[in-house]
Structure formats: structure tokens, C-alpha cells
Amino acid sequence: MRLQRLLFSLAAFLPLAGSAQTPVSIPIINSIFQDDTLSCSPGGDCYSLNITGWVVGPQSGVYKSSTVQYPTAPSSGLYAAYFGGGLTGSILQTLGLTLQANKTYTLTLAVGARADLSFTGYLASLMAGNVPVASSNKATPVGGTFVNDVIEYNSGASPAQLGQPLQIFVKSLGNGQVNIAKVTLTMQ
């Protein structure tokens, strides 16, 4: 009887102990930009104007950089999305999930600046139904490096875009070029 009471007492506390949720990864098609195999040698001239899974704007696509662009790139090349370089470029992906209430979304992007081109900035947004719900442009990589930009959004009890499709949108600013090597999105 005593053991039974102890077990019931412990069971009452288990939901509290397990209330911290583990982040759930939201699938992103071609999140590391390697689904489009480029047969050319790595370098600034090895690119495609399309990116599988993404809607690509002007001056945008995927390319395979060399150590000229990123000194730590592997000899086989480093794949990244590029946008900009004279005109503003952009990429967009509509995900297979909709915005939910009382969730925290964390969008992380590896933002790069080529060593051989100027970096003039970007704007990255988590969107729902074509409306930005959280944006950032705070990553400032030094030429030849990538740094992460982390964008958090807490949807609250009744977000205006509840039930709308989640989207990721990134665009370049100015005349330089922006590279993105990896994109992740989690929900908690």
C-alpha cells in the first residue's frame, strides 16, 4: 500500500518534470543546397540558376565554391545558395506545415560572405501565409566565412497567421552577394 501511494505521488510529478519539450525539426527541402549536383570545377563560375525545392528570384541560384571564395572549403567544393551581385536576389520555400499557436519557432541560417566579392547584407524571414512573423539581418560574416543567424518567434495563444503555411524567405540587400550554406527550422 505504501509503495502504491509512493508511485501515485511520483506519477503526479512526472508531467511537470517532462513539461520541457524537445524541439522538433521541421523538414526543409534541400536545406544544405546539395540536391543540385554541379559537375563543374569548384569556383565562382560553377553555378546553376535553380535550386531544388526553392523558388529562386533574380540573381539567385546554387553554386559550388572553392578555396578562393571560402579558404576552408573542401577540395570538392562547398555548396551554397547565392543571391545578389548587382541586383537584389532572393530565395523562398513554402514548408509542409502551418503556423500553430503557443509554439516557439527557431530559424537558423549559416550566412556567408565570399572572400572575393563584397557582402552588403541580407534580410531573412520566417513567414506564415506570405506575411513575415520574424526577421533578422544581424549576421555580419567577414569575407571567406560563414556565421549563424538565429531567428526566434513565439506564436502566442492566437497568432494572426494561425493555420497559414510556414515559409522561409531570404533576400540580399545592396549590390553585394550573400551566400547561405545551411537552413534549419525547429518548433518547440
Side-chain angles (χ1 to χ4, degrees):
M1 188 70 151
R2 223 181 220 180
L3 180 60
Q4 190 176 23
R5 269 190 255 148
L6 177 63
L7 289 175
F8 278 90
S9 296
L10 287 173
F13 288 103
L14 287 178
L16 294 177
S19 63
Q21 297 176 354
T22 303
V24 174
S25 182
I26 296 174
I28 299 170
I29 298 170
N30 200 6
S31 65
I32 58 174
F33 306 101
Q34 293 184 358
D35 287 359
D36 301 295
T37 304
L38 302 175
S39 59
C40 44
S41 297
D45 292 331
C46 183
Y47 65 91
S48 170
L49 298 175
N50 297 308
I51 306 174
T52 297
W54 295 84
V55 175
V56 180
Q59 295 289 109
S60 304
V62 65
Y63 90 110
K64 184 169 50 169
S65 66
S66 70
T67 55
V68 171
Q69 291 80 37
Y70 292 96
T72 60
S75 60
S76 60
L78 172 73
Y79 281 83
Y82 74 87
F83 31 96
L87 297 172
T88 298
S90 62
I91 58 173
L92 168 77
Q93 186 172 138
T94 300
L95 307 173
L97 296 174
T98 59
L99 184 68
Q100 298 178 26
N102 298 313
K103 298 294 181 186
T104 299
Y105 295 89
T106 304
L107 175 63
T108 305
L109 301 100
V111 180
R114 288 174 52 161
D116 61 340
L117 290 177
S118 63
F119 175 86
T120 54
Y122 68 99
L123 180 66
S125 298
L126 176 63
M127 301 187 351
N130 295 321
V131 175
V133 295
S135 298
S136 176
N137 62 352
K138 64 184 175 231
T140 53
V142 178
T145 66
F146 284 89
V147 297
N148 284 340
D149 190 353
V150 179
I151 304 164
E152 284 197 354
Y153 169 65
N154 186 332
S155 63
S158 56
Q161 298 309 115
L162 182 67
Q164 294 296 311
L166 290 171
Q167 299 166 302
I168 298 168
F169 176 72
V170 187
K171 72 175 185 175
S172 61
L173 303 174
N175 294 323
Q177 189 179 95
V178 176
N179 296 151
I180 302 292
K182 183 177 183 181
V183 181
T184 62
L185 180 61
T186 61
M187 176 181 70
Q188 186 171 337

